[in-house]
Amino acid sequence: MGIVKVQVAPGVHKTYHTADVDPKLLQHVSEKEAEDEKNTGNNFYKQKDYFKAIKFYTNAINLMPEKAAYYGNRAAAYMMISNFSSALDDSLKSVEKDPNFFKGGLRMIKCYIALGNLTAASRSLQDLKSRDPNNSSSYASETTNINRLKDLEISADKDMNNNDYRKVVYVMDRALEMAPACVNYKTKRAECLALLGRYNEAQEAANEMLRANNLNAGALYVKGLCLFYQDHLDKARQHFLQVLRVDPDHSKARLAVKDVKELESTKQKGNAAFTSGNNEEALKLYRAALLICPNNRLTNAKLHANIAAVYMKLRNYEEAAKECTAAVKLDEGYIKAYARRIVCYQELDKHDEAVRDAEKLHKMEHSRESKQRLRDANIKLKMSKRKDYYKILGCSKSATEEEIKKAYKRAALKHHPDRHSHGTDEERAAAEKQFKEIGEAYSVLSDANKKMRYDNGEDLDDPHGGMHDVDPTQIFQTFFGGGGGGGPHQQFFSGGFPHGHGGRGGNPGFTFSFG
């Protein structure tokens, strides 16, 4: 048994039990109260206070649940706060209560469009046209929007197949202007943002969808995709598995789980091969891993860096540098790849490139280690611009004292001016210059103190790295036992120094005979 208030005079109400009130009077009271609630709701709607408007429209519906217009009014308020699902429910009810309620049918179409359900929108539009064929101008914009959205969907599918993810994002942005509550459009846009490497935007879009529905499989998949592409493979796998628990038929998530498992396994096998010294197998496995997911830029950047490490171990610095370049192309902030490329460039005598990488790396890290790396790169650049005494003698930088002596002997015998005494003026001048540089090189590398300073990049006697006070003939005579001392190389000498060279400070009886 209910209670009802009845107005008996202006501003005067009496309370009665509903059983004691005439049903017609009770109906009249309910209708009047419902209209009052609706009118109050209308006032709040005009003031754009849609939440309060919804409250009073709900009161009106509770009083008169068969009134189609009240559902239509509440649907309009829901639409203004972008709650298109609730608005659609009310629109459907309004048409159910009154099939001829045109506003209800039109709002229903608008809601279907906003939600991206073009099939239902088209069907409802045809139904509305059949019931009200003379009012086509009222739903002309809905007809246009449906057709436009269909075209955008076709375009997005085509662009997706062509891997033109940037275009898909653009198309979905246009679609969402007409269908702001379409989950499919939002999901496709978020997925393409992830594929473009715009992970923060993709995750933000996914989180927005999850706030509306925490079991949104598409949004969970996008979050997993972002983790996958940021090389968080374990967390990514967990998200993909969660997607499959929500939607066991989600084909992309199922494929992603397979890719994560295969990528982890192949990469680990490659690491094991590298550690065990099986370099060829490591290269094979790392390259195979690169093919598993071409869109996974950060993981693939690490794989390229791993391949570079293998090539460096094989002393193939040219290929190693190429792999480092591929790595930083995929991940511009990949510090390890830059550091490895610096080493490769230095081994390839590309010191300008090494300094550029070291400068960039120092800006990125700004650490003590990066500062030292830049200092070392500049020293090696400076060293590269002076005479390379090791190269002049034809020996390696790790040559022993004995190897340096042997190298000097070979070079001095080969380039002694007497060997070229019958050459042209240019050939004799070149030989003289080469012979002098060989003497310079040996005078430094045979002296432990000078060699240490040279190896450390320090200047010696000349700011440009030269030693112009060196007498190469004197060094030659000393090395080969000149001065009648009967040294170990005495067999190379007999009689006076030919071709006018005896006056260079050596023993007048010193002569070298080329065979």
Side-chain angles (χ1 to χ4, degrees):
M1 185 179 296
I3 301 295
V4 63
K5 285 185 179 181
V6 179
Q7 184 176 354
V8 295
V12 180
H13 293 79
K14 283 190 176 182
T15 302
Y16 298 94
H17 291 288
T18 53
D20 300 329
V21 180
D22 186 320
K24 290 184 179 180
L25 176 61
L26 188 61
Q27 176 72 15
H28 175 73
V29 169
S30 296
E31 287 179 357
K32 187 177 185 311
E33 287 186 353
E35 278 296 300
D36 289 342
E37 295 292 323
K38 182 209 70 172
N39 290 334
T40 303
N42 287 347
N43 289 332
F44 281 118
Y45 186 94
K46 291 174 184 177
Q47 296 169 24
K48 298 184 179 181
D49 191 342
Y50 302 113
F51 288 97
K52 285 187 178 178
I54 288 169
K55 176 183 176 183
F56 283 94
Y57 290 146
T58 301
N59 291 341
I61 289 170
N62 290 337
L63 288 166
M64 295 291 293
E66 298 303 315
K67 190 84 169 181
Y70 295 165
Y71 291 102
N73 288 358
R74 190 168 70 176
Y78 275 131
M79 290 171 72
M80 296 306 294
I81 61 172
S82 298
N83 187 345
F84 293 101
S85 295
S86 296
L88 178 61
D89 289 341
D90 275 353
S91 297
L92 288 167
K93 287 178 182 176
S94 71
V95 174
E96 179 186 330
K97 303 297 181 184
D98 181 1
N100 295 317
F101 183 46
F102 180 82
K103 286 184 178 180
L106 188 58
R107 286 177 184 140
M108 179 172 62
I109 296 168
K110 288 178 181 291
C111 289
Y112 277 135
I113 292 173
L115 292 165
N117 190 340
L118 303 186
T119 301
S122 298
R123 185 177 60 247
S124 299
L125 181 61
Q126 290 302 318
D127 182 60
L128 191 62
K129 286 179 178 179
S130 65
R131 287 188 285 109
D132 194 356
N134 299 321
N135 204 10
S136 59
S137 61
S138 298
Y139 41 75
S141 63
E142 282 65 43
T143 302
T144 300
N145 287 345
I146 290 171
N147 292 332
R148 176 62 178 148
L149 285 171
K150 287 179 178 179
D151 290 341
L152 289 172
E153 286 185 358
I154 293 170
S155 176
D157 289 340
K158 180 181 177 181
D159 295 330
M160 196 76 174
N161 290 333
N162 292 332
N163 298 327
D164 191 349
Y165 306 121
R166 196 177 305 278
K167 181 72 178 298
V168 176
V169 171
Y170 173 82
V171 171
M172 287 298 96
D173 282 337
R174 302 290 78 75
L176 286 165
E177 291 172 1
M178 293 176 280
C182 181
V183 174
N184 287 338
Y185 295 168
K186 290 180 179 181
T187 302
K188 184 170 288 188
R189 176 181 180 275
E191 181 181 350
C192 287
L193 287 172
L195 291 166
L196 288 169
R198 294 159 62 177
Y199 304 119
N200 289 338
E201 294 175 75
Q203 288 178 325
E204 183 180 341
N207 287 333
E208 181 185 343
M209 289 187 281
L210 289 170
R211 282 192 289 271
N213 175 12
N214 63 358
L215 295 178
N216 185 318
L220 290 170
Y221 171 73
V222 169
K223 291 199 73 173
L225 204 59
C226 290
L227 290 166
F228 184 36
Y229 289 163
Q230 293 179 93
D231 200 40
H232 302 304
L233 301 185
D234 188 56
K235 290 182 179 179
R237 182 174 57 251
Q238 293 174 22
H239 271 74
F240 294 141
L241 290 173
Q242 185 179 358
V243 173
L244 292 174
R245 285 193 290 270
V246 174
D247 180 6
D249 295 325
H250 199 291
S251 58
K252 288 185 177 181
R254 189 171 299 282
L255 180 61
V257 170
K258 177 178 174 291
D259 285 346
V260 171
K261 183 178 179 180
E262 186 178 358
L263 189 54
E264 282 182 321
S265 174
T266 308
K267 186 179 176 183
Q268 288 170 2
K269 289 177 182 177
N271 292 344
F274 177 76
T275 303
S276 65
N278 192 343
N279 297 317
E280 292 303 322
E281 182 66 13
L283 286 174
K284 178 181 175 182
L285 288 164
Y286 288 144
R287 288 193 180 111
L290 281 171
L291 300 175
I292 294 171
C293 186
N295 290 322
N296 196 329
R297 297 173 65 87
L298 296 187
T299 300
N300 289 347
K302 290 183 178 180
L303 289 168
H304 279 294
N306 288 356
I307 293 173
V310 178
Y311 278 126
M312 290 173 75
K313 194 174 179 182
L314 296 170
R315 304 188 68 79
N316 187 343
Y317 296 106
E318 194 73 46
E319 289 300 318
K322 290 179 183 178
E323 292 296 333
C324 290
T325 299
V328 298
K329 187 176 180 180
L330 293 172
D331 180 6
E332 293 181 355
Y334 193 7
I335 290 172
K336 185 181 289 186
Y338 281 111
R340 287 180 181 168
R341 191 166 70 173
I342 289 170
V343 175
C344 293
Y345 281 152
Q346 289 168 343
E347 291 291 337
L348 295 168
D349 289 329
K350 296 181 178 180
H351 296 284
D352 288 307
E353 291 89 336
V355 168
R356 281 198 293 270
D357 271 2
E359 287 174 344
K360 185 169 186 177
L361 204 52
H362 185 50
K363 287 179 182 178
M364 291 165 58
E365 283 191 290
H366 212 73
S367 64
R368 182 178 299 177
E369 182 183 0
S370 66
K371 184 177 181 181
Q372 183 61 43
R373 186 185 289 115
L374 177 57
R375 179 180 176 276
D376 292 343
N378 277 311
I379 289 173
K380 289 181 179 179
L381 172 62
K382 182 180 177 182
M383 291 169 64
S384 72
K385 295 184 182 300
R386 65 184 183 175
K387 293 177 181 178
D388 186 342
Y389 289 145
Y390 291 102
K391 187 175 182 180
I392 290 171
L393 291 186
C395 63
S396 71
K397 292 179 174 62
S398 60
T400 64
E401 182 179 354
E402 187 61 30
E403 287 171 338
I404 289 171
K405 286 181 179 180
K406 290 180 180 179
Y408 171 71
K409 176 183 175 181
R410 286 193 302 270
L413 293 175
K414 180 179 179 181
H415 296 285
H416 193 285
D418 283 356
R419 182 182 288 273
H420 305 276
S421 60
H422 300 295
T424 64
D425 291 342
E426 290 79 6
E427 289 172 343
R428 288 198 301 272
E432 287 277 0
K433 182 181 178 182
Q434 184 74 11
F435 187 64
K436 184 175 182 179
E437 288 184 345
I438 291 168
E440 271 185 37
Y442 184 68
S443 71
V444 172
L445 300 183
S446 62
D447 183 304
N449 182 50
K450 289 181 180 179
K451 181 178 184 297
M452 180 183 69
R453 291 172 57 204
Y454 176 82
D455 288 343
N456 289 335
E458 299 177 22
D459 289 328
L460 300 176
D461 298 335
D462 182 77
H464 300 290
M467 297 183 66
H468 300 301
D469 59 343
V470 173
D471 184 346
T473 304
Q474 183 65 47
I475 294 173
F476 185 88
Q477 291 174 357
T478 302
F479 183 87
F480 284 102
H489 304 287
Q490 186 70 39
Q491 68 271 24
F492 290 107
F493 304 93
S494 62
F497 206 90
H499 310 300
H501 291 291
R504 297 189 183 181
N507 187 336
F510 172 81
T511 303
F512 178 69
S513 176
F514 290 105

